[in-house]
Amino acid sequence: MADVPPFTLAVVGAGPRGVGVLERLGANAADLLGGRRLEVHLIDPFPPGPGRVWRYDQSPLLRMNSMPEDVTMFTDDSVKMAGPVRPGPSLLEWARKVRDGRLDVEVPPDVGAELAALDSFDFPTRRLQSAYLTWVYRTVVEDLPDGIDVVEHAARAVGVDGRAVSLSDGSTVSADAVVFTVGHLDAEPDGRERELVSFAARHGLTYYPAGYTADVDYSGIAPGETVLVRGFGLAFVDLMLLLTEGRGGRFEELPGGGLRYRPSGAEPVLHVGSRRGVPYHAKIGYRLRGKPARLPRFFDAYAIDGLPGAALDFRADIWPLIAKELAWGYYSELFTGHPERVRLDFAVFADAFADLAWDSPGMRELIARAVPAEADRLDLDRLDRPLHGREFGTAGEFGKALREYIEDDLARRADQEFSADLGAFMALLSVYGQLPILVQKGRLGAESQVSDMDGWFHGFFSYYASGPPPRRLEELLALHEAGVVSFAGAEMRVTAERDVFVASGASYPGTVEARTLVEARLPGPSVTRAADALLRQLRDAGELAEETVADPATGTLLPSGRIHTRVADSRLLDGTGRPYPHRFAVGPHTSARSAAAFTRPRTNALSFRQNDAVAREILALVSPPS
């Protein structure tokens, strides 16, 4: 086939997800490529491998919220896919090989000392992760078989017209197929945010809508200024560091443990709150003590298929299965790792547990009989809303209570006596990978899918499983002690009145006024408000649609905000719902709702499965079977 021109593939986005697709193309080539050449054009203004989020050019203060042994870009035999497994090192294994001389890798000088000291329970800087991802990319390219070539374009894709992909540098790529490896979509302000933008402009105030914290310029926030911050998750943690230590302050270790903050004088005063009113849980710093449970056990494809009815309600029909799965992970670890704290043999408990519905009288009686200490029992309602029903007389009283809550969380996440929490964490990870099955089957009610699954449950997952390193909560306590951070409480509300922003909450009476308001969160998915020029162009041309969820019972359609793709093969759907044979999209803001591009080893990662499936679809286009 020497006289046949190469098949050209444009990969829009050369971060970890784009590299993951490229790796799968190489892995599957021996079986599917045939004799035709494949030319892959990687299009991204940021360096291939790290991409935008993990680029080296960002503050050295910013860290991952994952430990290095829990980060890999390589498949293993747990991944249920059609293509071959191509193993490789996790971030921790890579670091050990580099420092032992088993890999000849030149890392940036600024991360050399960190790499040399990296241990299992550390939380690497994003700069070190950038070095790992850069090495992964180069390794993937070097390992590509003959017949696959890569062309890098340090530019942004700004338009697609038929087979022509236009770039920001004025050049054009002619592509037989396109893969959009989209991460979290940047979005223009929504309706409420636009009102606040307008209010701020009229009254000389400062308002920062939702955005990726590392890319927002906060230099306009003056030293000593009171700033209202809405959001208590990872975006807040980044903001907190950039506006304190990033402005010259210092954290000092105290002899008895804990930290003291030495202000530089350049810090503002952050008044932070959220719906829950508490920060995300710190990441767990230990391993399971008992026998790992088989997961998922009660929320697998078989259980989902067996649910009765055409239109499922997430809270009524799906959540009980998820809750039972979390409890299974929790109690499996409690029984096998801490048998002295239970009264039944685990086999007896497991048999009875399997036959009972979650939160039924029989289930509650079984747990009360088997687990004598109430503190050892899993309370998901209290876990989800720790401040529900609690009111305090003053901000000071609430601040004291929240400090105790954070201190307890830090102690619990560092003490293996509470390893049942890790069992629940592992179960929650297994649950998250099952959600695309619900989407693909189309059995959830529209409101239930958008509000409950994509809204409440995603928030619960992030709050419990995707929190910051423990050090960040220690720093939060030090900043509160120094008067640099204050707490607004649960159900934080912000109104625009009397030429200022006014914050109040449900945890204690009173308000706080400020001239600056920051939304400390990423924008939710929205094709309608997409900030990216390419997505807007495709949307306006009817070639890219926002996913709408149909209610099986009523036919009502609700927009989810996500890029509409066919979950089975990630093909892009146009405005009429028809799939494009030669266009694909993968990422968290597509219909498939996949999580991060890299993942924990040995977890049958959804993103790896999708990468493999997309690569095989593309290779079938390159050399169609005869």
Side-chain angles (χ1 to χ4, degrees), residues 425-451:
F425 170 87
M426 299 302 294
L428 186 55
L429 292 183
S430 77
V431 162
Y432 205 77
Q434 300 297 103
L435 297 184
I437 298 174
L438 286 174
V439 178
Q440 188 171 357
K441 293 183 180 298
R443 296 181 61 198
L444 269 181
E447 182 69 31
S448 188
Q449 180 169 319
V450 174
S451 297

PDB file of all heavy atoms in Angstrom, residues 425-451:
ATOM      1  N   PHE A 425     -13.971   4.177  50.658  1.00  0.00           N
ATOM      2  CA  PHE A 425     -13.354   4.942  49.580  1.00  0.00           C
ATOM      3  C   PHE A 425     -13.154   4.061  48.341  1.00  0.00           C
ATOM      4  O   PHE A 425     -13.493   4.449  47.213  1.00  0.00           O
ATOM      5  CB  PHE A 425     -12.015   5.502  50.066  1.00  0.00           C
ATOM      6  CG  PHE A 425     -11.152   6.113  48.999  1.00  0.00           C
ATOM      7  CD1 PHE A 425     -11.300   7.444  48.650  1.00  0.00           C
ATOM      8  CD2 PHE A 425     -10.172   5.367  48.355  1.00  0.00           C
ATOM      9  CE1 PHE A 425     -10.488   8.020  47.671  1.00  0.00           C
ATOM     10  CE2 PHE A 425      -9.366   5.922  47.381  1.00  0.00           C
ATOM     11  CZ  PHE A 425      -9.526   7.259  47.037  1.00  0.00           C
ATOM     12  N   MET A 426     -12.623   2.869  48.524  1.00  0.00           N
ATOM     13  CA  MET A 426     -12.401   1.964  47.399  1.00  0.00           C
ATOM     14  C   MET A 426     -13.721   1.565  46.752  1.00  0.00           C
ATOM     15  O   MET A 426     -13.829   1.453  45.518  1.00  0.00           O
ATOM     16  CB  MET A 426     -11.642   0.723  47.865  1.00  0.00           C
ATOM     17  CG  MET A 426     -10.261   1.006  48.442  1.00  0.00           C
ATOM     18  SD  MET A 426      -9.164   1.859  47.292  1.00  0.00           S
ATOM     19  CE  MET A 426      -8.951   0.605  46.028  1.00  0.00           C
ATOM     20  N   ALA A 427     -14.745   1.356  47.564  1.00  0.00           N
ATOM     21  CA  ALA A 427     -16.062   1.029  47.017  1.00  0.00           C
ATOM     22  C   ALA A 427     -16.629   2.196  46.210  1.00  0.00           C
ATOM     23  O   ALA A 427     -17.239   1.998  45.157  1.00  0.00           O
ATOM     24  CB  ALA A 427     -17.013   0.654  48.146  1.00  0.00           C
ATOM     25  N   LEU A 428     -16.414   3.413  46.685  1.00  0.00           N
ATOM     26  CA  LEU A 428     -16.911   4.584  45.977  1.00  0.00           C
ATOM     27  C   LEU A 428     -16.232   4.729  44.616  1.00  0.00           C
ATOM     28  O   LEU A 428     -16.863   5.090  43.620  1.00  0.00           O
ATOM     29  CB  LEU A 428     -16.684   5.836  46.830  1.00  0.00           C
ATOM     30  CG  LEU A 428     -17.281   7.149  46.314  1.00  0.00           C
ATOM     31  CD1 LEU A 428     -18.774   7.022  46.069  1.00  0.00           C
ATOM     32  CD2 LEU A 428     -17.001   8.274  47.304  1.00  0.00           C
ATOM     33  N   LEU A 429     -14.933   4.425  44.556  1.00  0.00           N
ATOM     34  CA  LEU A 429     -14.243   4.457  43.266  1.00  0.00           C
ATOM     35  C   LEU A 429     -14.849   3.444  42.299  1.00  0.00           C
ATOM     36  O   LEU A 429     -15.017   3.726  41.106  1.00  0.00           O
ATOM     37  CB  LEU A 429     -12.753   4.162  43.456  1.00  0.00           C
ATOM     38  CG  LEU A 429     -11.907   5.192  44.203  1.00  0.00           C
ATOM     39  CD1 LEU A 429     -10.449   4.753  44.217  1.00  0.00           C
ATOM     40  CD2 LEU A 429     -12.026   6.571  43.574  1.00  0.00           C
ATOM     41  N   SER A 430     -15.173   2.260  42.791  1.00  0.00           N
ATOM     42  CA  SER A 430     -15.756   1.245  41.919  1.00  0.00           C
ATOM     43  C   SER A 430     -17.137   1.659  41.427  1.00  0.00           C
ATOM     44  O   SER A 430     -17.514   1.370  40.283  1.00  0.00           O
ATOM     45  CB  SER A 430     -15.834  -0.101  42.650  1.00  0.00           C
ATOM     46  OG  SER A 430     -16.897  -0.144  43.580  1.00  0.00           O
ATOM     47  N   VAL A 431     -17.885   2.340  42.266  1.00  0.00           N
ATOM     48  CA  VAL A 431     -19.216   2.821  41.887  1.00  0.00           C
ATOM     49  C   VAL A 431     -19.122   3.836  40.758  1.00  0.00           C
ATOM     50  O   VAL A 431     -19.898   3.802  39.793  1.00  0.00           O
ATOM     51  CB  VAL A 431     -19.921   3.431  43.116  1.00  0.00           C
ATOM     52  CG1 VAL A 431     -21.083   4.316  42.693  1.00  0.00           C
ATOM     53  CG2 VAL A 431     -20.392   2.344  44.059  1.00  0.00           C
ATOM     54  N   TYR A 432     -18.166   4.736  40.868  1.00  0.00           N
ATOM     55  CA  TYR A 432     -18.074   5.832  39.898  1.00  0.00           C
ATOM     56  C   TYR A 432     -17.853   5.291  38.485  1.00  0.00           C
ATOM     57  O   TYR A 432     -18.352   5.853  37.513  1.00  0.00           O
ATOM     58  CB  TYR A 432     -16.937   6.776  40.291  1.00  0.00           C
ATOM     59  CG  TYR A 432     -17.131   8.184  39.770  1.00  0.00           C
ATOM     60  CD1 TYR A 432     -18.036   9.038  40.393  1.00  0.00           C
ATOM     61  CD2 TYR A 432     -16.428   8.651  38.679  1.00  0.00           C
ATOM     62  CE1 TYR A 432     -18.226  10.328  39.928  1.00  0.00           C
ATOM     63  CE2 TYR A 432     -16.619   9.941  38.207  1.00  0.00           C
ATOM     64  CZ  TYR A 432     -17.514  10.778  38.836  1.00  0.00           C
ATOM     65  OH  TYR A 432     -17.710  12.048  38.362  1.00  0.00           O
ATOM     66  N   GLY A 433     -17.123   4.188  38.392  1.00  0.00           N
ATOM     67  CA  GLY A 433     -16.870   3.616  37.082  1.00  0.00           C
ATOM     68  C   GLY A 433     -18.080   2.947  36.457  1.00  0.00           C
ATOM     69  O   GLY A 433     -18.064   2.616  35.262  1.00  0.00           O
ATOM     70  N   GLN A 434     -19.154   2.753  37.237  1.00  0.00           N
ATOM     71  CA  GLN A 434     -20.358   2.111  36.714  1.00  0.00           C
ATOM     72  C   GLN A 434     -21.372   3.113  36.167  1.00  0.00           C
ATOM     73  O   GLN A 434     -22.325   2.724  35.484  1.00  0.00           O
ATOM     74  CB  GLN A 434     -21.039   1.293  37.824  1.00  0.00           C
ATOM     75  CG  GLN A 434     -20.182   0.183  38.411  1.00  0.00           C
ATOM     76  CD  GLN A 434     -19.839  -0.869  37.370  1.00  0.00           C
ATOM     77  OE1 GLN A 434     -18.735  -0.919  36.852  1.00  0.00           O
ATOM     78  NE2 GLN A 434     -20.804  -1.702  37.045  1.00  0.00           N
ATOM     79  N   LEU A 435     -21.208   4.392  36.454  1.00  0.00           N
ATOM     80  CA  LEU A 435     -22.228   5.373  36.077  1.00  0.00           C
ATOM     81  C   LEU A 435     -22.483   5.454  34.575  1.00  0.00           C
ATOM     82  O   LEU A 435     -23.635   5.638  34.156  1.00  0.00           O
ATOM     83  CB  LEU A 435     -21.857   6.750  36.631  1.00  0.00           C
ATOM     84  CG  LEU A 435     -21.805   6.865  38.160  1.00  0.00           C
ATOM     85  CD1 LEU A 435     -21.515   8.292  38.574  1.00  0.00           C
ATOM     86  CD2 LEU A 435     -23.097   6.375  38.792  1.00  0.00           C
ATOM     87  N   PRO A 436     -21.448   5.333  33.715  1.00  0.00           N
ATOM     88  CA  PRO A 436     -21.752   5.366  32.271  1.00  0.00           C
ATOM     89  C   PRO A 436     -22.726   4.283  31.822  1.00  0.00           C
ATOM     90  O   PRO A 436     -23.416   4.460  30.812  1.00  0.00           O
ATOM     91  CB  PRO A 436     -20.373   5.185  31.628  1.00  0.00           C
ATOM     92  CG  PRO A 436     -19.414   5.750  32.622  1.00  0.00           C
ATOM     93  CD  PRO A 436     -19.996   5.349  33.950  1.00  0.00           C
ATOM     94  N   ILE A 437     -22.813   3.171  32.556  1.00  0.00           N
ATOM     95  CA  ILE A 437     -23.786   2.136  32.208  1.00  0.00           C
ATOM     96  C   ILE A 437     -25.193   2.690  32.329  1.00  0.00           C
ATOM     97  O   ILE A 437     -26.063   2.447  31.478  1.00  0.00           O
ATOM     98  CB  ILE A 437     -23.603   0.903  33.112  1.00  0.00           C
ATOM     99  CG1 ILE A 437     -22.227   0.284  32.910  1.00  0.00           C
ATOM    100  CG2 ILE A 437     -24.699  -0.124  32.865  1.00  0.00           C
ATOM    101  CD1 ILE A 437     -21.920  -0.849  33.870  1.00  0.00           C
ATOM    102  N   LEU A 438     -25.443   3.462  33.377  1.00  0.00           N
ATOM    103  CA  LEU A 438     -26.759   4.081  33.550  1.00  0.00           C
ATOM    104  C   LEU A 438     -27.073   5.021  32.398  1.00  0.00           C
ATOM    105  O   LEU A 438     -28.187   5.047  31.872  1.00  0.00           O
ATOM    106  CB  LEU A 438     -26.799   4.864  34.867  1.00  0.00           C
ATOM    107  CG  LEU A 438     -26.876   4.072  36.173  1.00  0.00           C
ATOM    108  CD1 LEU A 438     -26.753   5.016  37.346  1.00  0.00           C
ATOM    109  CD2 LEU A 438     -28.180   3.301  36.236  1.00  0.00           C
ATOM    110  N   VAL A 439     -26.064   5.812  32.008  1.00  0.00           N
ATOM    111  CA  VAL A 439     -26.269   6.769  30.928  1.00  0.00           C
ATOM    112  C   VAL A 439     -26.548   6.039  29.613  1.00  0.00           C
ATOM    113  O   VAL A 439     -27.467   6.396  28.871  1.00  0.00           O
ATOM    114  CB  VAL A 439     -25.036   7.687  30.780  1.00  0.00           C
ATOM    115  CG1 VAL A 439     -25.224   8.651  29.619  1.00  0.00           C
ATOM    116  CG2 VAL A 439     -24.784   8.447  32.076  1.00  0.00           C
ATOM    117  N   GLN A 440     -25.756   5.021  29.344  1.00  0.00           N
ATOM    118  CA  GLN A 440     -25.891   4.302  28.082  1.00  0.00           C
ATOM    119  C   GLN A 440     -27.250   3.621  27.973  1.00  0.00           C
ATOM    120  O   GLN A 440     -27.842   3.579  26.896  1.00  0.00           O
ATOM    121  CB  GLN A 440     -24.773   3.267  27.950  1.00  0.00           C
ATOM    122  CG  GLN A 440     -24.706   2.596  26.588  1.00  0.00           C
ATOM    123  CD  GLN A 440     -23.452   1.755  26.436  1.00  0.00           C
ATOM    124  OE1 GLN A 440     -22.619   1.715  27.327  1.00  0.00           O
ATOM    125  NE2 GLN A 440     -23.313   1.096  25.304  1.00  0.00           N
ATOM    126  N   LYS A 441     -27.772   3.105  29.061  1.00  0.00           N
ATOM    127  CA  LYS A 441     -29.053   2.417  29.014  1.00  0.00           C
ATOM    128  C   LYS A 441     -30.226   3.385  28.965  1.00  0.00           C
ATOM    129  O   LYS A 441     -31.350   2.983  28.627  1.00  0.00           O
ATOM    130  CB  LYS A 441     -29.178   1.479  30.216  1.00  0.00           C
ATOM    131  CG  LYS A 441     -28.191   0.314  30.172  1.00  0.00           C
ATOM    132  CD  LYS A 441     -28.378  -0.629  31.319  1.00  0.00           C
ATOM    133  CE  LYS A 441     -27.380  -1.786  31.243  1.00  0.00           C
ATOM    134  NZ  LYS A 441     -27.560  -2.590  30.026  1.00  0.00           N
ATOM    135  N   GLY A 442     -29.998   4.659  29.322  1.00  0.00           N
ATOM    136  CA  GLY A 442     -31.036   5.668  29.200  1.00  0.00           C
ATOM    137  C   GLY A 442     -32.256   5.423  30.063  1.00  0.00           C
ATOM    138  O   GLY A 442     -33.385   5.757  29.674  1.00  0.00           O
ATOM    139  N   ARG A 443     -32.051   4.863  31.251  1.00  0.00           N
ATOM    140  CA  ARG A 443     -33.197   4.524  32.095  1.00  0.00           C
ATOM    141  C   ARG A 443     -33.431   5.500  33.240  1.00  0.00           C
ATOM    142  O   ARG A 443     -34.427   5.400  33.948  1.00  0.00           O
ATOM    143  CB  ARG A 443     -33.016   3.112  32.661  1.00  0.00           C
ATOM    144  CG  ARG A 443     -33.010   2.017  31.588  1.00  0.00           C
ATOM    145  CD  ARG A 443     -32.852   0.661  32.221  1.00  0.00           C
ATOM    146  NE  ARG A 443     -33.949   0.366  33.130  1.00  0.00           N
ATOM    147  CZ  ARG A 443     -33.891  -0.578  34.075  1.00  0.00           C
ATOM    148  NH1 ARG A 443     -32.779  -1.280  34.235  1.00  0.00           N
ATOM    149  NH2 ARG A 443     -34.925  -0.803  34.861  1.00  0.00           N
ATOM    150  N   LEU A 444     -32.531   6.443  33.437  1.00  0.00           N
ATOM    151  CA  LEU A 444     -32.720   7.419  34.504  1.00  0.00           C
ATOM    152  C   LEU A 444     -33.658   8.532  34.058  1.00  0.00           C
ATOM    153  O   LEU A 444     -33.597   8.987  32.913  1.00  0.00           O
ATOM    154  CB  LEU A 444     -31.390   8.038  34.909  1.00  0.00           C
ATOM    155  CG  LEU A 444     -30.591   7.391  36.025  1.00  0.00           C
ATOM    156  CD1 LEU A 444     -29.331   8.179  36.276  1.00  0.00           C
ATOM    157  CD2 LEU A 444     -31.400   7.289  37.313  1.00  0.00           C
ATOM    158  N   GLY A 445     -34.500   8.984  34.977  1.00  0.00           N
ATOM    159  CA  GLY A 445     -35.290  10.169  34.703  1.00  0.00           C
ATOM    160  C   GLY A 445     -34.396  11.360  34.450  1.00  0.00           C
ATOM    161  O   GLY A 445     -33.302  11.466  35.001  1.00  0.00           O
ATOM    162  N   ALA A 446     -34.839  12.274  33.598  1.00  0.00           N
ATOM    163  CA  ALA A 446     -33.994  13.396  33.189  1.00  0.00           C
ATOM    164  C   ALA A 446     -33.580  14.253  34.378  1.00  0.00           C
ATOM    165  O   ALA A 446     -32.398  14.553  34.568  1.00  0.00           O
ATOM    166  CB  ALA A 446     -34.732  14.244  32.151  1.00  0.00           C
ATOM    167  N   GLU A 447     -34.535  14.667  35.194  1.00  0.00           N
ATOM    168  CA  GLU A 447     -34.225  15.502  36.350  1.00  0.00           C
ATOM    169  C   GLU A 447     -33.314  14.763  37.315  1.00  0.00           C
ATOM    170  O   GLU A 447     -32.385  15.326  37.885  1.00  0.00           O
ATOM    171  CB  GLU A 447     -35.516  15.922  37.054  1.00  0.00           C
ATOM    172  CG  GLU A 447     -35.307  16.841  38.252  1.00  0.00           C
ATOM    173  CD  GLU A 447     -34.822  18.229  37.859  1.00  0.00           C
ATOM    174  OE1 GLU A 447     -35.184  18.689  36.764  1.00  0.00           O
ATOM    175  OE2 GLU A 447     -34.070  18.841  38.651  1.00  0.00           O
ATOM    176  N   SER A 448     -33.562  13.472  37.469  1.00  0.00           N
ATOM    177  CA  SER A 448     -32.774  12.660  38.389  1.00  0.00           C
ATOM    178  C   SER A 448     -31.329  12.550  37.915  1.00  0.00           C
ATOM    179  O   SER A 448     -30.387  12.625  38.710  1.00  0.00           O
ATOM    180  CB  SER A 448     -33.401  11.277  38.504  1.00  0.00           C
ATOM    181  OG  SER A 448     -32.782  10.532  39.521  1.00  0.00           O
ATOM    182  N   GLN A 449     -31.127  12.384  36.591  1.00  0.00           N
ATOM    183  CA  GLN A 449     -29.767  12.258  36.078  1.00  0.00           C
ATOM    184  C   GLN A 449     -29.008  13.560  36.199  1.00  0.00           C
ATOM    185  O   GLN A 449     -27.850  13.583  36.629  1.00  0.00           O
ATOM    186  CB  GLN A 449     -29.786  11.812  34.610  1.00  0.00           C
ATOM    187  CG  GLN A 449     -28.395  11.672  34.012  1.00  0.00           C
ATOM    188  CD  GLN A 449     -28.421  10.976  32.666  1.00  0.00           C
ATOM    189  OE1 GLN A 449     -29.153  10.014  32.484  1.00  0.00           O
ATOM    190  NE2 GLN A 449     -27.638  11.465  31.721  1.00  0.00           N
ATOM    191  N   VAL A 450     -29.636  14.666  35.827  1.00  0.00           N
ATOM    192  CA  VAL A 450     -28.939  15.952  35.808  1.00  0.00           C
ATOM    193  C   VAL A 450     -28.724  16.478  37.229  1.00  0.00           C
ATOM    194  O   VAL A 450     -27.629  16.924  37.588  1.00  0.00           O
ATOM    195  CB  VAL A 450     -29.717  16.968  34.956  1.00  0.00           C
ATOM    196  CG1 VAL A 450     -29.081  18.352  35.062  1.00  0.00           C
ATOM    197  CG2 VAL A 450     -29.754  16.518  33.493  1.00  0.00           C
ATOM    198  N   SER A 451     -29.780  16.442  38.049  1.00  0.00           N
ATOM    199  CA  SER A 451     -29.684  17.050  39.383  1.00  0.00           C
ATOM    200  C   SER A 451     -29.057  16.120  40.415  1.00  0.00           C
ATOM    201  O   SER A 451     -28.256  16.560  41.240  1.00  0.00           O
ATOM    202  CB  SER A 451     -31.082  17.477  39.868  1.00  0.00           C
ATOM    203  OG  SER A 451     -31.619  18.462  39.012  1.00  0.00           O
TER     204      SER A 451
END
